[in-house]
Amino acid sequence: MPGGYVGVDVFFVISGYLITSIISREMENDTFTFARFYERRARRIFPALFAVLAVTLLAGYFLLLPSDYMGALSGALGTLFFVSNLVFWRDMTAGYFAATNSGVNPLLHTWSLAVEEQFYLFFPVLLLLCYRYARHHTVFILTASALVSLTSSVLLMGSKSVAVFFLSPFRAWELLAGSLLALGAVPPIRSRALCEAAAGAGLLAIAIACCVYDSETTFPGLAALAPALGTALIIHAGATGPNLTGRLLQWRPVVYVGLISYSLYLWHWPLIVLTRFATGMVPITPYIPALLAASLALGSLSYHFIEQPFRRDKRVTRQLVFSFSTVYAFVLVLVSVFGLVNRGFEERYTPAVVQFDKARSPQIPFVNCDSKPTCAACIIGSTEGKPTVLLWGDSHLLAWAPALNESLTQLGMRALFVPNSSCPPMLGVDNAIPIYGPLCSEKNLAVKDYLLANPEIKTVIMSAFWSTYFRKNGPLTAQAGEPLVKGTTAAKTALALTIQWLIDNKKQVVLIGPVPVYDTSVPLGLALEQANGRKFKRSSMVAQRQKNASFFEVVESAQRGDEASVRLLDPILWLCAPDCMVMKDGVSLYRDAGHLSVAGAMALEPDLRQGLRAPAMHLIRIRNL
């Protein structure tokens, strides 16, 4: 399901309800102890988790590339200390330009365990203090805490989306929602019909989130309310009395999946990631039935033969639980540290594999120029004279920077360099899934104001991730009067209006067209091709033309209106003849799925320079291709 990730939010509410029910009951009876509480947590969490970590690291040694294995080792260390959410937050925040994709880390899913355990490090203390010193205000204190957490997540979603996703303070409201239910903060439902309606609405809210949400949904923020409140409705209605939804969830196969759900959750993601590496990163869809069966089988075995003995066997004493956990964790820490010190055991692979793997984590020239205010932007090209060119774009412009710098220097041109990652160079448009910083419309408005204030800028060169902005369900939104337009329509409208505005203001417009893009990282695919012989699938000129048809349509229309003022430099022509190149002289031309590497940009520098030098030769009419 595209929104299946909301299962974590369902889990948080259930966990908050269940654990708070146990803690509050023991506090009422004056039987609560921290030793007993954390013993139960250790029995519940550690055995299956340790097994998954050990198997994943062992399998990863044979399947993962060195940089990915280091990511898994870092994830294992973070998991053992229940800070893996902080590890992945750090990687993905610094990670817009980060080397590896956290999505191919087999331990990425452990972030939710870290959030839960961090919550239960502080929550029992807070609840105990409330019971002793402010019992009558407990519900108020927890409600206020939940509201602060939720409000913070909503307010910071636009600028700190990675932090809001991974960090406990922004997720605490979901656990607290379950806690408030356990403490009776919500009055019981008296009406049988209302009980049925509440439970049904809760199940429907979760189902809709699973089916409608996807990877581009702004999440968590307000979108997390659907699965979280849906879960709360089901729990509350179920606590009130029998209902149809409750009977559905009491069906024995469903109950069994619930019983094994912790182990099932632990095993499913490593299986998916390791399978992707074993198959050379081909689409996972054909393997889903087998992966589902394997996950259920491992989850069941893990539940019966690992979880249950540690939870139920009276011979497994508290001392044994803590001793076992300490020793096992210490061994895994040593293994992880040893692997990190040895750079993921690079000697497992040939130098060619290691070289392609390292190409995923390059030093990026001019990265310090990214997202600077326009008035303080970098200057590239010739060192003499005032800038007469403005380079405007997103991270794809940044990828072109070494070649642009060389070309402009050779041509004696000086340029203002204005890259804003994740923001397309289009007026009146925003990226619905911003990575960081202010809205794109604000950044681009600053560029517009600068151009108006500096008429000496005669040429505007634009480069962006055109293929993602112009796709059918692309991330862009634009307010073109009424109503709000999205996706391809937003991109086409915004680019056409932007080009026309530049022409009206006497600017020469040069568009660096789309670079061929791929579904997975090119150097990753090339490394796996070298490692296991599974050929990385190249693209073609025809495929890339089709992928970017909407972009070319806008450019062709603009050229018809004013051919002298609108030029297109087309990297697809430079790279595809008709099949597209992905490496040259054994070096990857890309650093990921769509950004050129320094080697890739410099390989195309002669074409770029020729296009900038001789516009008459490079006035490309799309319809003639």
Side-chain angles (χ1 to χ4, degrees):
M1 293 183 178
Y5 53 81
V6 303
V8 170
D9 305 271
V10 173
F11 158 73
F12 282 155
V13 178
I14 295 173
S15 177
Y17 177 78
L18 197 62
I19 301 302
T20 304
S21 298
I22 296 170
I23 294 176
S24 61
R25 184 170 60 247
E26 291 183 348
M27 287 183 179
E28 289 283 357
N29 297 330
D30 201 26
T31 59
F32 174 81
T33 65
F34 285 99
R36 184 180 177 187
F37 173 73
Y38 290 115
E39 177 194 350
R40 282 198 302 262
R41 298 302 297 162
R43 288 179 183 269
R44 177 78 175 98
I45 298 296
F46 287 159
L49 178 61
F50 287 157
V52 169
L53 290 177
V55 171
T56 299
L57 293 182
L58 179 62
Y61 180 86
F62 297 100
L63 293 173
L64 299 180
L65 297 172
S67 60
D68 298 292
Y69 197 53
M70 289 182 68
L73 293 166
S74 296
L77 277 176
T79 301
L80 290 166
F81 293 102
F82 292 111
V83 292
S84 62
N85 61 328
L86 301 179
V87 172
F88 296 123
W89 165 61
R90 179 204 62 194
D91 289 346
M92 294 183 74
T93 299
Y96 186 75
F97 300 108
T100 55
N101 179 1
S102 292
V104 293
N105 190 313
L107 297 175
L108 177 63
H109 63 323
T110 61
W111 73 268
S112 63
L113 297 181
V115 168
E116 188 194 24
E117 293 312 306
Q118 288 163 17
F119 180 81
Y120 291 128
L121 186 63
F122 298 103
F123 179 72
V125 177
L126 174 62
L127 197 59
L128 186 61
L129 290 173
C130 287
Y131 265 77
R132 288 186 177 177
Y133 304 109
R135 178 169 298 204
H136 298 300
H137 302 290
T138 301
V139 169
F140 173 79
I141 292 171
L142 297 187
T143 301
S145 300
L147 289 175
V148 169
S149 173
L150 174 59
T151 302
S152 300
S153 71
V154 172
L155 293 178
L156 294 176
M157 192 64 214
S159 60
K160 302 291 182 183
S161 58
V162 178
V164 172
F165 188 92
F166 282 112
L167 301 188
S168 299
F170 306 110
R171 293 289 194 155
W173 69 269
E174 298 175 84
L175 290 135
L176 288 169
S179 299
L180 288 168
L181 285 178
L183 295 174
V186 183
I189 303 174
R190 303 296 183 187
S191 165
R192 173 66 182 272
L194 191 57
C195 179
E196 291 284 0
L203 189 60
L204 181 63
I206 296 171
I208 289 174
C210 287
C211 297
V212 174
Y213 291 3
D214 59 22
S215 60
E216 294 183 356
T217 300
T218 302
F219 194 90
L222 287 174
L225 284 170
L229 295 185
T231 305
L233 283 172
I234 293 173
I235 292 173
H236 192 54
T240 300
N243 57 75
L244 182 60
T245 300
R247 286 195 292 273
L248 174 65
L249 297 178
Q250 288 171 349
W251 186 37
R252 289 179 66 87
V254 176
V255 171
Y256 185 73
V257 172
L259 289 173
I260 68 169
S261 61
Y262 173 60
S263 283
L264 177 60
Y265 181 70
L266 287 179
W267 286 106
H268 88 285
W269 186 247
L271 283 174
I272 290 173
V273 172
L274 293 171
T275 298
R276 294 192 68 196
F277 276 93
T279 57
M281 291 290 159
V282 299
I284 202 70
T285 305
Y287 300 96
I288 286 177
L291 286 168
L292 177 59
S295 297
L296 287 167
L298 282 173
S300 181
L301 291 171
S302 179
Y303 171 75
H304 289 291
F305 297 106
I306 299 177
E307 282 191 63
Q308 288 301 92
F310 276 87
R311 293 179 68 186
R312 306 300 181 195
D313 194 331
K314 294 182 178 179
R315 293 172 296 179
V316 182
T317 63
R318 177 183 298 174
Q319 182 180 358
L320 184 61
V321 168
F322 288 134
S323 299
F324 166 81
S325 300
T326 301
V327 171
Y328 206 105
F330 182 71
V331 171
L332 287 174
V333 166
L334 286 180
V335 170
S336 299
V337 171
F338 184 71
L340 289 170
V341 169
N342 285 276
R343 304 293 303 168
F345 305 111
E346 290 180 348
E347 65 277 5
R348 294 175 293 147
Y349 293 104
T350 64
V353 173
V354 174
Q355 178 183 342
F356 282 129
D357 185 40
K358 287 183 176 179
R360 300 160 65 195
S361 55
Q363 294 293 320
I364 300 175
F366 302 99
V367 70
N368 291 333
C369 299
D370 188 46
S371 297
K372 280 189 173 182
T374 306
C375 60
C378 296
I379 303 292
I380 67 172
S382 174
T383 58
E384 298 179 358
K386 289 185 176 182
T388 59
V389 177
L390 184 138
L391 303 171
W392 184 17
D394 59 11
S395 58
H396 279 234
L397 177 69
L398 191 64
W400 278 108
L404 283 166
N405 185 54
E406 178 66 20
S407 292
L408 293 171
T409 300
Q410 293 289 332
L411 296 172
M413 301 168 69
R414 188 169 171 84
L416 192 73
F417 183 51
V418 190
N420 287 309
S421 290
S422 79
C423 285
M426 306 181 205
L427 298 173
V429 72
D430 278 314
N431 190 337
I433 48 173
I435 301 298
Y436 54 83
L439 294 175
C440 293
S441 56
E442 296 175 5
K443 294 181 177 182
N444 291 333
L445 184 60
V447 174
K448 178 182 178 181
D449 292 340
Y450 185 89
L451 289 172
L452 289 173
N454 294 270
E456 69 274 11
I457 300 293
K458 303 298 183 183
T459 302
V460 177
I461 300 175
M462 301 160 66
S463 173
F465 194 179
W466 304 116
S467 57
T468 196
Y469 299 138
F470 277 81
R471 72 181 190 272
K472 182 178 180 181
N473 296 314
L476 299 189
T477 59
Q479 195 77 44
E482 292 294 339
L484 187 74
V485 293
K486 300 179 180 180
T488 303
T489 303
K492 292 174 70 173
T493 301
L495 183 58
L497 291 174
T498 302
I499 292 174
Q500 190 58 52
W501 183 87
L502 290 168
I503 293 172
D504 292 344
N505 284 273
K506 306 299 187 291
K507 306 300 181 187
Q508 172 76 46
V509 180
V510 180
L511 292 154
I512 300 178
V515 171
V517 296
Y518 296 84
D519 293 330
T520 191
S521 166
V522 172
L524 170 60
L526 293 174
L528 292 174
E529 181 178 271
Q530 290 283 328
N532 58 28
R534 292 183 175 272
K535 192 166 181 62
F536 176 71
K537 185 178 179 181
R538 274 66 167 173
S539 188
S540 67
M541 181 179 290
V542 172
Q544 293 299 324
R545 286 267 176 256
Q546 292 174 344
K547 184 187 290 285
N548 294 283
S550 295
F551 168 79
F552 289 130
E553 180 185 330
V554 174
V555 178
E556 181 183 5
S557 177
Q559 288 181 329
R560 281 199 300 266
D562 192 340
E563 188 167 15
S565 296
V566 182
R567 297 161 48 198
L568 174 70
L569 307 182
D570 192 355
I572 293 177
L573 283 180
W574 305 339
L575 283 168
C576 307
D579 293 331
C580 301
M581 291 193 303
V582 292
M583 67 175 175
K584 184 178 181 180
D585 300 327
V587 178
S588 174
L589 299 179
Y590 291 78
R591 59 177 165 87
D592 54 24
H595 293 87
L596 292 173
S597 63
V598 173
M602 294 308 295
L604 300 179
E605 189 274 329
D607 298 285
L608 183 66
R609 190 189 336 151
Q610 183 66 15
L612 294 173
R613 173 190 289 128
M617 295 176 58
H618 288 265
L619 277 172
I620 297 171
R621 297 302 297 269
I622 306 304
R623 61 175 178 269
N624 292 330
L625 293 177

